[in-house]
Amino acid sequence: MSTDTAVRDDPVSARPAGFWRDLLSVAIRALRQIPREPEAIIPALVIPLFFFVVNVGALGDVATFTGVDDFKAFQIPVAIIFAVTGVSRASALVTDITGGYFDRLLVTPMHRTSLLLGLMVADLALVVALSVPVLVLGFALGVQFATGAAGVLVFLLLAGLWGLAFTGFPYAIALRTGNPAAVNSSFLLFFPFAFLTTTFLPLDALTGWLATIAQFNPVTYLLAALRSLIMEGWDATALWQGLAAIAVVGVLSFVLAFRALQGRTART
Amino acid sequence: MSETAIVTRAIERRFGDNVAVAGVDLTVHEGEMYGFLGPNGAGKSTLTRLLCTLLAPTGGTATVAGHDVVHEPTAVRLRIGVALQEAALDDKQTGVEMLRLQGRFYGLTARETTRRVAELRELIDIGDALDDRVGTYSGGMKRRLDLALALIHNPRILFLDEPTTGLDPISRATVWAEVRRLNRELGVTVFLTTQYLEEADALADRVGIINRGELVAEGTPGELKRSIGTDVLVVEVGDQVENARTTLRTLDAGTGIGGVETDGTSLMVSVDDGARAVSPVALALDRAGITVQQLALRHPTLDDVFFRVTGHRIQDDEGEAP
């Protein structure tokens, strides 16, 4: 009890909270915001399911000619990519910048990098959560993982890391421009990544310029890794290439994003 | 109490060719309430951002709470509370959530934050609204929450950038009362910027007047106003203003007439003893054949001081002064 009184009598004074606590604080706030603006995530829930149903319905029979026996299993990774690519807190970040809340954070002693990393932690949690309904739909339609439960976890991890790797682009735009319209148009980046690849057919079945571009699109290798977990079993090469593809995109987008953060928080 | 809270020496901030703050020397003592008065675009916000470590100066130095703003920004940040123009809040959170989050950024423990939230509930008249989402707040409530957020970590120095701009008169009075209480009862040093003369007059122990990035006058509101004279005689003379001005300039010093300045179609005559100066002024103008349309005697305001040092009125471009 005596310590209790002592604490009560001491005037409260500020001290740096430390990097990890700052990171957690930013992430907690971001995660708290998500259910309060459901309009921001509903498209990310609906679009992948829509495309999944349409693609399977339209192309399921055609695909058998290209050697894909189970087109539902083939399309689940595509739906996951659609669900997680481009999901970020970048719009909320722009609102903070234009509304002045970002400045309020900058006058606290918090670590500057946690401003962005905290949001990314929240994004990682969100994209993994967004992958779940797609997987549930797949299971309901009879899709089975050749790699079992461990494969499902690796699958979610790869999807989460890909989603995270991609967030750097919208964040870079948000921090550079502070402009909501610019951030909204960053979803355009999603199209070449998501469509100029093996979205509909396996790589062998692609021809001409699309085949060439698909060979350089990191999503091609990511899809191959995800598909291998469902359709083939543990394939070290596919997984390794998938991770490498995520890493290449992640390094590029994070460099852009953290440079933009540096620019935004510089006192120039 | 004689410690200095804020010291700047020739502090300067340029944006390209534009000089927003042009070499300001400022000393604010601990426990003091310092009002920084100037029109829009005079450099008030830029100076505030320099002192709050949001901007780096392009010249000169500044020390806040004993720490250099350029080299020890974290030490400065730990000791200051800041409420910038436009209450910077998050509509999606409740007041309590915002306060608790703010506490975390200042390294407070959960228990300390709980205590501070309870204290601030008392100090800032915001009541049960703290548990509602900020999006539902009125403008006045937002400002009060803004103030509470700036105070969560018990700062020694509080920066308020135009704390009542855009508020209705009642909310403005509430904010004034709260700022005064913080200063008087808790000894918090307050640096506030304002474009409202009444605000500087009502709150500040000392006022600095800024115009085009330069500090053009400084003193207690009383001192500044006395520098104009005890009274001001405002004489409305229509288009004969230049003529009238020449006439009054030739008046005998014995009438106690100080400066004569033109303000549109009026003359502003600074006088030591208003009652004694009315007759000689009216008489002199009448003899010169100038028709006096209106003649008023009033005490000088900070706006008169501003007018004297800059040649224009603070409130020229402002519509919502109380």
Side-chain angles (χ1 to χ4, degrees):
Chain A
M1 281 314 276
S2 59
T3 47
D4 211 348
T5 324
V7 167
R8 202 153 290 158
D9 288 340
D10 269 349
V12 169
S13 64
R15 46 197 157 319
F19 170 76
W20 291 106
R21 193 154 182 248
D22 286 339
L23 182 81
L24 192 64
S25 304
V26 173
I28 287 172
R29 171 178 172 239
L31 286 172
R32 197 156 55 202
Q33 273 180 326
I34 291 167
R36 293 182 187 179
E37 39 184 15
E39 67 277 9
I41 45 165
I42 283 172
L45 274 171
V46 174
I47 291 172
L49 298 179
F50 176 81
F51 271 90
F52 179 77
V53 172
V54 170
N55 288 352
V56 170
L59 298 167
D61 292 338
V62 183
T64 49
F65 297 113
T66 63
V68 180
D69 296 328
D70 184 354
F71 199 62
K72 286 197 285 274
F74 187 80
Q75 280 298 309
I76 285 288
V78 173
I80 292 286
I81 299 289
F82 279 25
V84 304
T85 308
V87 169
S88 77
R89 304 295 302 154
S91 306
L93 180 60
V94 171
T95 307
D96 282 351
I97 290 171
T98 53
Y101 191 74
F102 194 74
D103 281 342
R104 156 155 273 139
L105 297 178
L106 290 183
V107 294
T108 74
M110 76 179 299
H111 277 261
R112 283 13 193 177
T113 44
S114 357
L115 276 170
L116 193 48
L117 280 175
L119 295 178
M120 288 171 162
V121 167
D123 290 331
L124 181 64
L126 177 62
V127 294
V128 170
L130 286 171
S131 307
V132 171
V134 179
L135 273 183
V136 167
L137 177 73
F139 291 142
L141 293 173
V143 171
Q144 285 188 330
F145 271 68
T147 48
V152 175
L153 289 180
V154 174
F155 187 93
L156 282 174
L157 181 71
L158 285 175
L161 287 177
W162 166 254
L164 182 65
F166 205 82
T167 58
F169 297 122
Y171 283 131
I173 295 172
L175 289 163
R176 281 273 176 234
T177 64
N179 179 335
V183 172
N184 285 340
S185 58
S186 74
F187 86 99
L188 287 173
L189 267 176
F190 162 84
F191 288 101
F193 276 106
F195 287 102
L196 302 182
T197 179
T198 55
T199 316
F200 304 114
L201 299 171
L203 193 55
D204 308 334
L206 301 180
T207 51
W209 60 270
L210 185 56
T212 313
I213 291 178
Q215 271 175 351
F216 292 98
N217 186 344
V219 174
T220 303
Y221 302 95
L222 177 64
L223 283 173
L226 294 173
R227 280 168 179 155
S228 75
L229 289 167
I230 302 177
M231 302 164 78
E232 288 152 35
W234 297 105
D235 177 346
T237 313
L239 293 179
W240 174 85
Q241 289 183 338
L243 268 177
I246 294 171
V248 167
V249 173
V251 166
L252 176 67
S253 88
F254 277 38
V255 165
L256 291 174
F258 280 92
R259 274 205 192 146
L261 177 72
Q262 225 169 30
R264 176 64 63 177
T265 56
R267 295 150 72 188
T268 48
Chain B
M1 281 310 230
S2 59
E3 294 281 299
T4 47
I6 304 169
V7 184
T8 72
R9 289 291 166 256
I11 194 162
E12 180 205 81
R13 175 67 209 199
R14 291 167 182 274
F15 296 98
D17 290 336
N18 178 21
V19 186
V21 173
V24 169
D25 289 323
L26 206 64
T27 304
V28 178
H29 301 286
E30 219 165 87
E32 195 174 22
M33 175 113 73
Y34 190 92
F36 213 48
L37 177 69
N40 281 329
K44 303 189 296 289
S45 290
T46 305
L47 184 66
T48 310
R49 293 175 76 83
L50 289 171
L51 296 176
C52 294
T53 74
L54 284 174
L55 273 177
T58 48
T61 60
T63 310
V64 173
H67 296 275
D68 186 277
V69 294
V70 175
H71 300 110
E72 306 166 279
T74 303
V76 172
R77 286 168 191 152
L78 286 170
R79 289 163 179 80
I80 62 171
V82 183
L84 294 175
Q85 254 182 75
E86 310 284 321
L89 305 172
D90 173 1
D91 285 351
K92 293 276 178 349
Q93 295 185 81
T94 69
V96 169
E97 284 170 348
M98 286 203 74
L99 285 166
R100 298 201 70 89
L101 188 71
Q102 194 75 2
R104 291 178 62 95
F105 289 131
Y106 284 102
L108 308 191
T109 63
R111 178 188 289 195
E112 285 174 324
T113 309
T114 305
R115 200 178 106 205
R116 284 300 290 158
V117 171
E119 287 169 359
L120 289 167
R121 238 187 237 273
E122 297 278 307
L123 192 70
I124 309 287
D125 178 27
I126 197 159
D128 299 334
L130 270 190
D131 298 308
D132 297 334
R133 295 236 183 118
V134 173
T136 66
Y137 285 22
S138 70
M141 273 157 61
K142 284 188 174 173
R143 277 311 160 102
R144 274 175 270 159
L145 176 60
D146 200 32
L147 199 56
L149 283 165
L151 293 167
I152 191 78
H153 56 298
N154 247 334
R156 285 163 56 195
I157 305 173
L158 183 61
F159 288 90
L160 303 173
D161 195 8
E162 305 208 359
T164 66
T165 296
L167 289 190
D168 61 83
I170 293 172
S171 304
R172 173 168 298 163
T174 314
V175 170
W176 283 6
E178 270 149 15
V179 172
R180 214 177 266 137
R181 188 148 19 110
L182 289 168
N183 177 252
R184 306 255 159 93
E185 290 175 19
L186 304 178
V188 179
T189 307
V190 179
F191 180 93
L192 82 109
T193 74
T194 182
Q195 48 175 319
Y196 299 134
L197 308 157
E198 296 80 357
E199 189 155 282
D201 215 348
L203 289 179
D205 299 322
R206 256 181 337 130
V207 173
I209 295 181
I210 186 170
N211 186 47
R212 293 183 191 173
E214 286 180 67
L215 191 65
V216 288
E218 194 186 40
T220 68
E223 283 168 5
L224 288 171
K225 288 185 286 191
R226 274 196 298 278
S227 72
I228 296 288
T230 317
D231 294 309
V232 176
L233 202 55
V234 185
V235 194
E236 168 71 48
V237 287
D239 53 10
Q240 293 173 293
V241 69
E242 274 315 308
N243 214 348
R245 184 174 138 115
T246 323
T247 309
L248 291 187
R249 285 232 160 129
T250 57
L251 267 185
D252 182 8
T255 53
I257 287 183
V260 180
E261 271 145 311
T262 317
D263 182 9
T265 58
S266 300
L267 288 180
M268 243 181 63
V269 190
S270 311
V271 289
D272 290 338
D273 180 352
R276 222 158 51 85
V278 173
S279 303
V281 166
L283 212 62
L285 290 174
D286 188 47
R287 276 197 197 123
I290 294 161
T291 318
V292 175
Q293 296 168 358
Q294 223 174 50
L295 192 118
L297 186 62
R298 61 168 174 77
H299 293 299
T301 65
L302 288 177
D303 198 24
D304 296 328
V305 181
F306 188 80
F307 187 71
R308 161 77 57 87
V309 289
T310 68
H312 55 267
R313 296 267 169 204
I314 272 189
Q315 287 169 325
D316 276 353
D317 56 354
E318 171 208 0
E320 35 184 8

